């Protein structure tokens, strides 16, 4: 079975969040189960693409306002466990980062048009095209209704919603940029008087998945597309993400100061914690609570500074708090100010730092995730693998993967509301747990033994692909 994944991100070539991790791991695990899975993504002007060798496997052209030439490149000697292809469109899709440019809509229309054009030339088509998030959401529509891609009309498509809050709105004025299509199907692109790439994907794909079962149901109440998700529920399925345990393994992780397994976790963590606390001028004698992630409201980042301030005052400096993240300028400024107010008790690294994230999972006692929405969340899964107790809001994938330590079989800390009060209450509980050394030390190896690898999820995806007929 041949599966082509189409995505804006794929670790290690480009990653902004969890989707990059997923697309960088799932194909490898599908291949381990006998499938032929590969990835196509945009070519970005970043370190990965400029330092690796690629061969050109296809050169094409398409018309989008002007005529654009493009190449599809394949990574030579791939050690990723799958073939990685990149679409290079000079002058349009070559920026260093995946997103954040004024012409993002044009860039991703171009990417999808180029991918469809390339696929159109394949001698034998793949059995499934698996699209990820709204940047690839127009492809199922293109296959079904664009004149030029007639041959792809019956190509089975799976679409995964990694984050339904980002929907790829495109003003109808840009309709002329899309490959020519039969306008009686215009309604498939439309939502609230604009083109909505996510809506088009859900309407046109053969099946869609969400990255956790709880998130599938939460999308029924999504403010804009809730009705659509309810109407199309029959073709939806929640499949929980896995983690790549070749990359995320405290026994082999080269980015840790001290590597450890279930037996040596207490000692390994102590060394990593002392190192991290030394680097960030924090005390290693207190519970180390970290936050890693995008500094946006979705992640509850706006609640961090007040919660940390309040708990530091309440406990007379009873915690060491550390944040690794980047995002909204307001949030970044608020955290820098907090560091100035609480030196020695709170510190932050504002920016993206993959190596530091590994070290923090290895060093922290607790990982805080006060998310307002969390489609799956990988951080808590990494935390479990590294013996770090997750403190999470009961939402989405967090609800599906963390059991409160007060409940049977529990190991983490859960709270209901994304509020400073609830976070502070959870931090008090964390402090009590930290004081019970024997209990804490029993929980760590217990959590590390859970199997959250991709094996099970890859099996679920294969089962889904097989339902698409002809395979
Ligand atoms: P999302 O995709 O919504 O951002 P996930 O929990 O699914 O959230 O995935 C986040 C991924 O990005 C994790 O691998 C996490 O470690 C990583 N990450 C987020 N922010 C940073 C950062 N500033 N530095 C390093 N890694 C980060």
């Amino acid at each position: 079975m041949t599966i082509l994944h189409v995505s804006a991100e794929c670790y290690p070539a480009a990653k902004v969040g969890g989707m990059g991790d997923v697309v960088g791991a799932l194909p490898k695990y599908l291949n381990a189960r006998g499938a032929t899975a590969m990835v196509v993504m945009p070519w970005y002007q970043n370190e990965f693409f400029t330092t690796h060798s690629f061969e050109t496997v296809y050169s094409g052209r398409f018309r989008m306002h002007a005529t654009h030439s493009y190449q599809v490149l394949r990574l030579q000697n791939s050690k990723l466990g799958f073939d990685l292809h990149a679409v290079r469109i000079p002058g349009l899709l070559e920026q260093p980062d995946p997103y954040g440019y004024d012409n993002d809509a044009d860039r991703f229309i171009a990417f999808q048009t180029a991918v469809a054009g390339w696929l159109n030339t394949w001698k034998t088509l793949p059995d499934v095209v698996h699209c990820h998030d709204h940047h690839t959401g127009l492809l199922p529509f293109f296959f079904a209704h664009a004149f030029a891609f007639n041959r792809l009309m019956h190509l089975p498509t799976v679409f995964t919603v990694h984050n339904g809050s980002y929907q790829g709105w495109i003003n109808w004025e840009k309709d002329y940029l899309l490959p020519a299509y039969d306008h009686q199907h215009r309604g498939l692109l439309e939502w609230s008087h604009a083109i909505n790439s996510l809506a088009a994907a859900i309407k046109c794909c053969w099946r869609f998945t969400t990255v956790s079962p709880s998130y599938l149901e939460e999308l029924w109440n999504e403010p804009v597309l809730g009705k659509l998700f309810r109407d199309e529920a029959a073709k939806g399925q929640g499949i929980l993400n896995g983690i790549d345990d070749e990359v995320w393994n405290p026994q082999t992780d080269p980015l840790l100061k001290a590597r450890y397994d279930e037996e040596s976790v207490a000692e390994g963590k102590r060394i990593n914690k002392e190192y991290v606390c030394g680097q960030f001028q924090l005390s290693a004698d207190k519970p180390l609570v970290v936050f890693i992630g995008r500094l946006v409201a979705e992640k509850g980042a706006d609640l961090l500074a007040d919660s940390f301030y309040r708990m530091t005052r309440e406990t007379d400096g009873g915690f060491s708090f550390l944040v690794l993240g980047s995002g909204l300028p307001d949030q970044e400024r608020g955290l820098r100010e907090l560091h100035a107010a609480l030196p020695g008790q709170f510190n932050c690294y504002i920016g993206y730092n993959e190596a530091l994230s590994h070290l923090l999972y290895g060093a922290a006692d607790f990982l805080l995730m006060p998310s307002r929405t969390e489609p799956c969340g990988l951080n808590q899964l990494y935390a479990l693998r590294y013996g770090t107790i997750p403190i999470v809001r009961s939402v989405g994938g967090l609800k599906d993967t963390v059991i409160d330590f007060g409940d049977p079989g529990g190991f983490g800390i859960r709270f209901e509301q994304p509020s400073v009060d609830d976070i502070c209450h959870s931090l008090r509980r964390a402090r009590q747990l930290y004081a019970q050394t024997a209990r804490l030390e029993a929980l760590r190896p217990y959590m590390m033994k859970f199997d959250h690898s991709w094996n099970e999820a890859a099996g679920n995806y294969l089962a889904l692909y097989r339902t698409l007929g002809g395979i």
Side-chain angles (χ1 to χ4, degrees), residues 212 215 218 299 369 371-378 395-398:
S212 70
Y215 190 54
E218 287 168 9
K299 299 284 180 195
M369 298 181 74
S371 307
R372 289 194 172 81
T373 50
E374 195 59 81
C376 175
L378 291 172
V395 66
L398 299 176

Side-chain angles (χ1 to χ4, degrees), residues 15 17-18 21 293-294 299 324-325 351-353 361 377-379 382:
K15 165 178 163 182
D21 285 339
R294 293 180 292 119
K299 299 284 180 195
L324 163 62
Y352 190 91
N353 188 330
Y361 291 115
L378 291 172
N379 300 19
Y382 299 145

Side-chain angles (χ1 to χ4, degrees), residues 131-414:
C131 303
H132 297 267
D133 266 359
H134 75 80
H135 328 93
T136 61
L138 298 175
L139 274 175
F141 177 85
F142 288 180
F143 295 166
H145 301 295
F147 300 121
F149 309 131
N150 218 292
R151 185 175 163 242
L152 310 178
M153 189 182 283
H154 300 294
L155 195 50
T157 48
V158 170
F159 180 84
T160 294
V161 186
H162 295 262
N163 194 330
S165 320
Y166 301 93
Q167 304 185 345
W169 292 95
I170 303 170
N171 199 307
W172 272 117
E173 281 164 17
K174 287 189 181 273
D175 183 41
Y176 77 105
L177 297 178
L178 306 187
Y181 63 92
D182 181 350
H183 269 72
Q184 65 173 319
H185 299 296
R186 201 171 183 262
L188 293 169
L189 297 170
E190 155 91 24
W191 202 268
S192 290
H193 315 295
I195 297 171
N196 180 307
S197 305
L198 178 59
I202 300 303
K203 292 183 208 179
C204 299
C205 70
W206 289 37
R207 297 276 192 286
F208 73 90
T209 66
T210 59
V211 287
S212 70
S214 287
Y215 190 54
L216 181 69
E217 291 183 19
E218 287 168 9
L219 283 174
W220 297 344
N221 297 317
E222 203 280 328
V224 181
L225 296 181
K227 181 179 176 338
L228 178 65
F229 281 110
R230 285 195 298 279
D231 289 348
E232 298 286 354
K235 63 180 188 186
Q237 183 182 342
I239 300 180
L240 193 69
N241 282 339
I243 60 175
D244 187 340
D245 51 13
E246 285 176 14
V247 178
W248 296 96
N249 182 349
Q251 241 175 304
T252 53
D253 192 334
L255 300 168
L256 294 184
K257 202 75 198 154
R259 290 182 270 283
Y260 56 88
D261 59 14
E262 286 90 345
E263 266 85 65
S264 55
V265 52
E267 176 64 2
K269 268 201 168 291
R270 188 185 61 75
I271 297 169
N272 290 316
K273 183 177 173 183
E274 277 172 7
Y275 176 74
V276 166
C277 287
Q279 295 284 306
F280 285 91
Q281 300 89 45
L282 296 168
S283 161
D285 298 329
K286 300 169 185 171
L288 175 63
V289 178
V290 305
F291 171 96
I292 301 171
R294 293 180 292 119
L295 300 175
V296 295
E298 199 186 307
K299 299 284 180 195
D302 51 314
L303 305 168
L304 297 174
D306 288 306
S307 306
F308 295 164
Y309 186 83
R310 193 193 285 185
M311 289 314 292
T312 302
R313 288 282 173 261
E314 183 180 310
T315 61
D316 199 14
F319 290 91
S320 291
F321 291 115
L322 185 55
V323 168
L324 163 62
S326 60
L328 299 175
D330 265 10
Q331 308 300 337
E332 295 184 353
R333 195 174 45 246
L335 292 168
R336 285 198 180 100
E337 281 170 14
L338 188 69
H339 173 54
L342 301 177
Q345 269 124 22
F346 170 80
N347 209 341
C348 54
Y349 179 105
I350 303 296
Y352 190 91
N353 188 330
E354 186 79 22
L356 180 58
S357 75
H358 284 247
L359 198 51
L360 296 192
Y361 291 115
D365 298 300
F366 299 94
L367 177 90
L368 176 63
M369 298 181 74
S371 307
R372 289 194 172 81
T373 50
E374 195 59 81
C376 175
L378 291 172
N379 300 19
Q380 82 280 15
L381 302 181
Y382 299 145
L384 296 176
R385 191 76 192 84
Y386 285 63
T388 305
I389 299 200
I391 306 177
V392 304
R393 174 168 177 240
S394 299
V395 66
L398 299 176
K399 201 157 82 180
D400 292 341
T401 51
V402 177
I403 305 175
D404 191 273
F405 77 90
D407 294 331
F411 45 86
I413 297 179
R414 273 172 57 162

